[in-house]
Every structure is written in structure tokens, then in C-alpha cells.
Amino acid sequence: MKLALDPYMLRDVPLLELPGVVADLGYEWIELSPREDFIPFYNHPRVDDGTVEKFRTALRAAGVGISSVLPLYRWSGPDEDDRQAAVRYWKRAIQITSDLGVDTMNSEFNGSNQDVVRCEGQFWRSMEELLPVFEQEGIRLALEPHPYDWEEDGIRAVDLVRGINSPLVSFLYCAPHTFHQGDDCAGIMERAGDLLTMVHVADSFSHTASSGQRYIVNPPGAKVTVHQHLDIGQGEVDFNEFFSTLEKVGFDGVMSSSVFAWEDRARESSVFMRETMTDYLSRWSTPPTFESPG
């Protein structure tokens, strides 16, 4: 198993210093999420080949590896020009991932739950163009349903990933999205089985609690989704169920701390999450073996 940190709360740390900071926090793996100076949200990558090589050198020096690269693009959006641009951006992001020596990427379905049929069609069109590129580079892709995506439900998302019918494409379960995925952590993970290769760990509150009045949105009926990425224990995700189900299905993939809520205490939060995840994992009947870079 790879225990990783999504360093989004540390995105102001200069890129070449990031591996050392992550190592100081006790992590050996980075889930490289969007950064303005590398692969930004929804736009073409900003990094050149020379910087990629310098970053790779910095990673080796710090003894830190990249568990996966996470780009977010409008590859399922209803606008065809946006979709075509997203595919071009994806191709460059895949090349960067390959140049880093990384074999895994992860992302979201994207699109909108307000235009499901159109967005699903766009998704499949993009997959048809991109799967050959993933195959050419030998890079795996883990996909997750995100709140407001054209597919939010966890069970249906597992079946959708299975329907892609590629050994390179798998499922990512995101704990803070539990309540948007159907509030069925065990059922979704068990449905995924061997397709479950990545998990994001953070806490969240249930938007369905208090008769749906946990969050009050004005004007009433506005089409919004709300969730958090909190430290374990600050929300309502059942982490005993989460970790016990991971053990039950024999999970041995990438587990990433995915907290975004506490930029004012980013380092303390990251250490807390590492220690807490490790503690939960130590309770397994056969505690997992952690993989190290190199």
C-alpha cells in the first residue's frame, strides 16, 4: 500500500521544495493535485520538460515518490469546444506523468448532473480518444464520482467504470463524498472489489441530516452541492466501516490524505491524518505493508 498526501493546502510551497516538505511531514508519496505552476485546474499544463526533470531530481533527493497525478478537465462537459480542449490538455498531462516515471493518474467524471445524457455521451467520446494514449504510455487511470458530476452515485459509478472494460481503468472511493454517493460505503467498496485501487481520506458532514436542513441554501431549491474535506473525526463519515471494509476487500492500493479545510494549519493537519490513518490500518488482522519509492 502507498500512503500518500494530496499537498493542495501546501500549493504555495515552491514546486522543487515540495518533496522535502512532504518528507518532513512523514510521507513517502505525493498525490500530485492541480497547481498553477504545474498542471492547473481546467487549463493546459504550465510546466516544461526541463522543470519536470528538475522536479524528478528533487523527488529522488527527498526519497519521495509520486503515487498518482491528478488533473481536472472539462472532458465530459456539454460544450464540444471545451471537451476537445480538455482532451488536448489530458494528452500533455499524460506525457508529463510518463516523463515523471509515474504509472497512475486519477480524476473525476466531471460534467454536470443537470445535463446527464449529453455529458455521458461526451465522456465516452473523450475516453475513446484517450484510452489509446493511456495504453501507449502504460498509465493506469482511477476514476471517482464527484458531487455535481454527471454521475454522482457510487454503485452506478462502479458499474460505469467496469463498463469501460479496460484493465487500465479502475475506481477511486472518496470518503468525504460518502453522502453524495449514496451513503453506502461498504456496499460501494464491495461492489468495486478488485476495481478499487485508490481511496481519498477526509471527513465530511451529511447534507441529508436534519431532514435535509443541515445546509440551508437561498433561494430554496437552488441547484448546488455542499461537502467538506475535514480531518478524520470532525465530520460524520463512519471510518470504522471505511477501514474495516477496505480490509474485507483486500485493498492494497493508494490511500491519500485529502484534507482541504485547514490551510492555516496545513502541516499539523497532514501529520494528524498520517498518524490517524496509520493507527486505523494497524488494527487490521494483517496490517498492510507500506511501499516505499525506489
Side-chain angles (χ1 to χ4, degrees), residues 22-43:
V22 170
D24 289 344
L25 295 173
Y27 290 86
E28 293 184 308
W29 296 96
I30 294 173
E31 179 187 0
L32 192 59
S33 56
R35 290 176 55 107
E36 287 300 314
D37 60 354
F38 202 81
I39 300 177
F41 282 104
Y42 306 119
N43 287 312

Side-chain angles (χ1 to χ4, degrees), residues 84-104:
Q84 291 183 21
V87 168
R88 291 193 296 271
Y89 306 162
W90 258 112
K91 289 178 179 178
R92 173 58 179 153
I94 293 169
Q95 183 60 59
I96 290 167
T97 302
S98 178
D99 290 346
L100 282 171
V102 177
D103 65 3
T104 303

Side-chain angles (χ1 to χ4, degrees), residues 14-17 19 32 35 37-39 46-60 92 96 99-100:
L15 179 68
L16 300 185
E17 296 177 18
L32 192 59
R35 290 176 55 107
D37 60 354
F38 202 81
I39 300 177
R46 301 308 199 232
V47 67
D48 62 5
D49 292 346
T51 305
V52 169
E53 184 55 38
K54 290 177 183 176
F55 184 47
R56 191 169 182 175
T57 299
L59 288 162
R60 287 195 297 266
R92 173 58 179 153
I96 290 167
D99 290 346
L100 282 171

Side-chain angles (χ1 to χ4, degrees), residues 212-220 224 226:
Q213 297 300 308
R214 174 61 59 78
Y215 306 111
I216 298 172
V217 177
N218 290 310
V224 299
V226 178

Side-chain angles (χ1 to χ4, degrees), residues 3-294:
L3 195 63
L5 174 67
D6 180 336
Y8 185 72
M9 293 193 295
L10 301 168
R11 63 193 179 279
D12 290 335
V13 173
L15 179 68
L16 300 185
E17 296 177 18
L18 181 63
V21 171
V22 170
D24 289 344
L25 295 173
Y27 290 86
E28 293 184 308
W29 296 96
I30 294 173
E31 179 187 0
L32 192 59
S33 56
R35 290 176 55 107
E36 287 300 314
D37 60 354
F38 202 81
I39 300 177
F41 282 104
Y42 306 119
N43 287 312
H44 192 278
R46 301 308 199 232
V47 67
D48 62 5
D49 292 346
T51 305
V52 169
E53 184 55 38
K54 290 177 183 176
F55 184 47
R56 191 169 182 175
T57 299
L59 288 162
R60 287 195 297 266
V64 172
I66 301 293
S67 59
S68 63
V69 174
L70 165 58
L72 289 174
Y73 293 130
R74 295 184 177 91
W75 61 331
S76 300
D79 184 272
E80 176 60 13
D81 286 343
D82 285 348
R83 189 200 68 80
Q84 291 183 21
V87 168
R88 291 193 296 271
Y89 306 162
W90 258 112
K91 289 178 179 178
R92 173 58 179 153
I94 293 169
Q95 183 60 59
I96 290 167
T97 302
S98 178
D99 290 346
L100 282 171
V102 177
D103 65 3
T104 303
M105 301 179 79
N106 60 290
S107 195
E108 302 164 0
F109 291 135
N110 201 251
S112 166
N113 63 18
Q114 304 302 303
D115 196 359
V116 173
V117 173
R118 170 70 171 165
C119 289
E120 176 165 359
Q122 296 287 78
F123 171 79
W124 288 108
R125 179 176 291 181
S126 295
M127 286 301 297
E128 288 171 1
E129 295 183 49
L130 290 170
L131 265 180
V133 185
F134 283 107
E135 292 168 355
Q136 177 181 331
E137 298 296 339
I139 291 177
R140 298 188 294 268
L141 174 65
L143 291 173
E144 65 166 303
H146 191 278
Y148 204 77
D149 280 0
W150 64 268
E151 182 57 84
E152 298 176 288
D153 181 84
I155 294 292
R156 292 197 302 265
V158 169
D159 291 347
L160 194 160
V161 169
R162 183 169 285 113
I164 295 171
N165 196 33
S166 169
L168 292 178
V169 184
S170 59
F171 183 75
L172 185 159
Y173 185 84
C174 186
H177 301 165
T178 289
F179 305 109
H180 288 280
Q181 292 190 59
D183 196 7
D184 186 14
C185 172
I188 295 167
M189 288 185 181
E190 290 173 8
R191 181 87 162 210
D194 291 343
L195 279 178
L196 182 66
T197 61
M198 293 187 67
V199 291
H200 285 166
V201 185
D203 214 337
S204 189
F205 288 104
S206 173
H207 64 288
T208 65
S210 298
S211 302
Q213 297 300 308
R214 174 61 59 78
Y215 306 111
I216 298 172
V217 177
N218 290 310
K223 302 296 183 182
V224 299
T225 58
V226 178
H227 70 286
Q228 303 88 13
H229 284 242
L230 307 168
D231 289 349
I232 291 174
Q234 293 181 328
E236 296 170 316
V237 175
D238 185 343
F239 281 102
N240 287 319
E241 178 187 43
F242 177 84
F243 281 95
S244 64
T245 306
L246 288 177
E247 181 181 17
K248 181 178 179 180
V249 303
F251 178 78
D252 189 30
V254 177
M255 177 177 292
S256 178
S257 172
S258 184
V259 175
F260 306 142
W262 309 116
E263 291 184 1
D264 58 327
R265 46 179 290 275
R267 301 189 187 211
E268 293 86 346
S269 170
S270 300
V271 171
F272 170 82
M273 288 294 291
R274 175 179 53 77
E275 292 175 346
T276 305
M277 290 187 295
T278 302
D279 179 63
Y280 271 104
L281 292 169
S282 72
R283 304 175 198 175
W284 287 19
S285 57
T286 304
T289 299
F290 295 115
E291 183 177 343
S292 296

